[in-house]
Amino acid sequence: MLAAAALAGAAVPLLGTGAAQASTSGGCESATVQYRIVDADGKVVGADWTSQGGFHQWDTAPATVEVRLAAGQSVGDGCTYPVSLAQYTTEGPDWASSGHQTLVTKDTVRLTAKDVAGPDAGDSWQKLSVRTPDCYGQIDLYGDDVTYDGGSGEGHGPAPYRPDNVNTPYHLIAAWNGGDKACTTGGSTPTAGESAPATPATPTAPAGSTTPAAGTTAPGTTAKPKPTSTPTTTSEVPPLEATPSAAPSAEGGKKPLAETGAGAPLGMISGAAAVVVVAGAGALYASRRRRA
């Protein structure tokens, strides 16, 4: 009984320890980014400063975009907000037909407290520039510095690909899709004496097998998820400390909050419980000897 009571008392602090969550380091919170398209002379093209999201909002290819933090925000010292502009070649003029995308160029700036709009701020804002597309393409403005080119390693993420629901970049702010002709693949024509690569033969179905009816899935295979509609956008950008890894979570790609409590000193608690068990057993043994 003594051992059981002692064990119950030792277990209370262990069971009562929850998984605490740590907030973003340095007290930096998400900030609202404003943007506008400008031409080579610095004149505004289309709408002026806005923080409105919209995947098809831009009617003009944004070769140069000015960005700033919206007025009225309190941005702490040392808080940095990366914003990137990336251009891709695509297989079609809109998101639904974009198919495989290939990164052409990317530009990144980092906004700080000095980039908050206001009466005391200057009028020289940070600029992002990419090439002007000459074929089907997509241009994304987003709130991190990850290069979404399908590469591996730190700083790289999956390239956008609608058929497989790869809605990158994460932290998308605004985008443009367009173009009036297919992009060249860059392939070369075989010279004299060379032959073109052999075209793989179309596999035939094994004898006795049947072809699945339209709209059905062959046995043993998993149907691909249906592509979603256009990706959602938001002008809320996380600080640099919350830059996502190559595979952010589905909740917007923000860095997961750190969890504590899982590393509690279980060894020390278990050792203390063992001592309590021994002490309880000793007390019980001594009691029995006195009765005898």
Side-chain angles (χ1 to χ4, degrees):
M1 292 177 64
L2 289 173
L7 280 173
V12 169
L14 176 61
L15 296 175
T17 303
Q21 293 182 332
S23 60
T24 306
S25 60
C28 299
E29 302 295 337
S30 295
T32 300
V33 171
Q34 290 184 322
Y35 55 88
R36 66 182 180 183
I37 302 174
V38 296
D39 60 17
D41 297 326
K43 295 181 179 179
V44 177
V45 178
D48 205 348
W49 290 110
T50 180
S51 58
Q52 178 184 0
F55 193 76
H56 294 288
Q57 178 184 351
W58 283 329
D59 296 326
T60 303
T64 301
V65 178
E66 289 186 336
V67 290
R68 69 184 186 185
L69 297 177
Q73 299 182 93
S74 178
V75 177
D77 294 336
C79 296
T80 303
Y81 299 87
V83 180
S84 300
L85 189 69
Q87 179 207 348
Y88 299 84
T89 58
T90 65
E91 297 178 345
D94 53 31
W95 171 246
S97 63
S98 59
H100 288 92
Q101 301 197 26
T102 302
L103 180 68
V104 177
T105 184
K106 167 180 171 281
D107 192 12
T108 300
V109 297
R110 288 170 172 78
L111 305 178
T112 62
K114 66 181 181 61
D115 296 299
V116 177
D120 297 330
D123 56 359
S124 178
W125 307 105
Q126 297 204 47
K127 291 181 174 63
L128 293 161
S129 298
V130 294
R131 299 176 186 175
T132 301
D134 58 0
C135 60
Y136 295 146
Q138 177 172 305
I139 297 179
D140 295 323
L141 179 70
Y142 58 96
D144 61 57
D145 58 357
V146 175
T147 301
Y148 295 97
D149 58 353
S152 59
E154 185 177 359
H156 294 269
Y161 187 51
R162 183 183 184 274
D164 283 351
N165 285 328
V166 183
N167 293 335
T168 53
Y170 304 108
H171 305 133
L172 184 63
I173 300 173
W176 170 89
N177 283 83
D180 55 8
K181 65 178 181 179
C183 302
T184 58
T185 59
S188 58
T189 303
T191 58
E194 294 182 340
S195 58
T199 302
T202 302
T204 57
S209 63
T210 58
T211 302
T216 62
T217 304
T221 62
T222 302
K224 290 185 178 180
K226 293 182 179 180
T228 60
S229 58
T230 55
T232 57
T233 59
T234 175
S235 57
E236 294 293 318
V237 172
L240 185 62
E241 292 86 353
T243 299
S245 63
S249 66
E251 286 74 20
K254 294 183 179 180
K255 185 177 179 181
L257 295 176
E259 291 188 356
T260 59
L266 296 178
M268 295 178 62
I269 295 175
S270 299
V275 172
V276 172
V277 171
V278 173
L284 181 60
Y285 177 73
S287 175
R288 288 182 175 179
R289 284 184 58 87
R290 286 196 297 271
R291 291 180 181 178

